[in-house]
Amino acid sequence: MTAMVKAEGVHKSFGNVQVLKGIDLEVATGEVFCLIGPSGSGKSTFLRCINHLEKINAGRLYVDGELVGYRQKGQKLYELRDTEVARQRRDIGMVFQRFNLFPHMTALENVTEAPVQVKGESKATARERAGQLLERVGLGDKAKSYPSQLSGGQQQRVAIARALAMEPKLMLFDEPTSALDPELVGDVLDVMRDLAESGMTMIVVTHEMGFAREVGDSLVFMDEGVVVESGHPREVLTDPRHERTKSFLSKVL
Ligand SMILES: Nc1ncnc2c1ncn2[C@@H]1O[C@H](COP(=O)(O)OP(=O)(O)OP(=O)(O)O)[C@@H](O)[C@H]1O
Ligand SMILES: [Mg+2]
């Protein structure tokens, strides 16, 4: 099985604060990989490193076999040009806690923007696919609505459709439901479950342990910039081996 994401000894510091202290992990193609851990443990930073929104200080990150952000020549690494980084990023969809939709564009326009501007797709093609994607996330009737006219959960589903419009091979979710009112969480998780069933490779930072247990193939518990424990979600959640994992889970479960 080829790894969609491979991290080898990934280190990241901000100033003299070490946030990632050597992350090693592998995400298989088609896998739903859940990442949990306390606030400040480095989960978002790690996700941001995967699409080179943050530069790493040591180690290697590969997506689909390709080194992220650098080219290696002999033992030396050379940082890629912005255009090359942008090309790598196109294959990676990212959904944040806050939906970050373009406020002056309708749902449909939000979803067509990147395929037209970045990939040079025709407007007609992009619009047709955007319509299908909005259907898929249960918002076929909201194509003409502006973000301000949509609930948080609906906006988040538009954000997922927008990421999917680029036909990514990997989707990164950073606490996609944690800013939502509880009654809106389910619809977003349903969309993510559907996406998982379609075979998408997903890394999901989440506090939704039910989702991790039911949909996740792997679960990693991170604390203070290291992977403390990993395994099948059911095992880690019901029978954690490490004290730190036990103590964290006792607070969130
Ligand atoms: N741009 C930055 N500059 C300086 N420090 C940063 C920056 N981004 C993150 N940090 C620090 O890195 C550490 C890890 O932050 P990160 O956002 O990755 O944690 P997290 O696990 O996602 O937490 P949360 O669950 O609260 O989202 C924190 O101590 C944070 O203050
Ligand atoms: Mg975070």
Side-chain angles (χ1 to χ4, degrees), residues 31-228:
E31 185 174 38
V32 178
F33 190 96
C34 296
L35 195 53
I36 63 170
S39 181
S41 56
K43 306 179 299 291
S44 297
T45 302
F46 180 66
L47 283 193
R48 291 168 55 79
C49 289
I50 294 175
N51 56 9
H52 207 56
L53 289 170
E54 301 289 355
K55 286 177 202 174
I56 63 178
N57 300 105
R60 299 270 194 280
L61 260 171
Y62 299 88
V63 171
D64 207 13
E66 200 178 324
L67 197 56
V68 173
Y70 300 90
R71 176 180 299 115
Q72 183 161 357
K73 251 188 181 173
Q75 280 310 302
K76 276 197 102 174
L77 291 186
Y78 298 89
E79 193 163 11
L80 295 180
R81 280 178 238 269
D82 289 349
T83 51
E84 293 167 304
V85 173
R87 175 185 59 75
Q88 290 187 330
R89 246 181 230 150
R90 270 193 223 176
D91 292 333
I92 305 174
M94 192 155 185
V95 176
F96 304 89
Q97 184 174 358
R98 295 260 157 221
F99 335 115
N100 307 108
L101 296 176
F102 303 117
H104 59 290
M105 291 184 190
T106 63
L108 193 88
E109 288 163 353
N110 263 282
V111 180
T112 51
E113 177 71 7
V116 172
Q117 297 302 328
V118 180
K119 272 187 161 177
E121 259 178 35
S122 80
K123 280 196 176 158
T125 311
R127 240 184 250 130
E128 191 185 332
R129 250 225 340 283
Q132 291 163 356
L133 285 167
L134 288 174
E135 286 286 342
R136 181 166 171 194
V137 301
L139 295 173
D141 56 340
K142 299 288 183 191
K144 292 190 175 136
S145 301
Y146 286 89
S148 62
Q149 300 168 319
L150 299 171
S151 75
Q154 289 168 338
Q155 290 182 56
Q156 193 59 304
R157 285 182 280 150
V158 175
I160 295 172
R162 183 175 62 173
L164 293 177
M166 289 297 283
E167 303 183 298
K169 51 189 177 193
L170 169 67
M171 287 282 287
L172 310 176
F173 291 90
D174 195 355
E175 300 193 30
T177 59
S178 59
L180 299 177
D181 291 337
E183 72 271 21
L184 303 177
V185 168
D187 288 339
V188 173
L189 292 180
D190 284 346
V191 166
M192 291 170 63
R193 188 176 288 122
D194 171 68
L195 192 57
E197 278 164 13
S198 78
M200 178 64 76
T201 311
M202 300 162 57
I203 303 182
V204 186
V205 174
T206 186
H207 296 298
E208 297 291 335
M209 299 302 157
F211 176 86
R213 190 192 306 258
E214 287 159 36
V215 185
D217 297 301
S218 305
L219 182 118
V220 158
F221 170 66
M222 225 171 116
D223 193 16
E224 295 182 0
V226 298
V227 170
V228 174

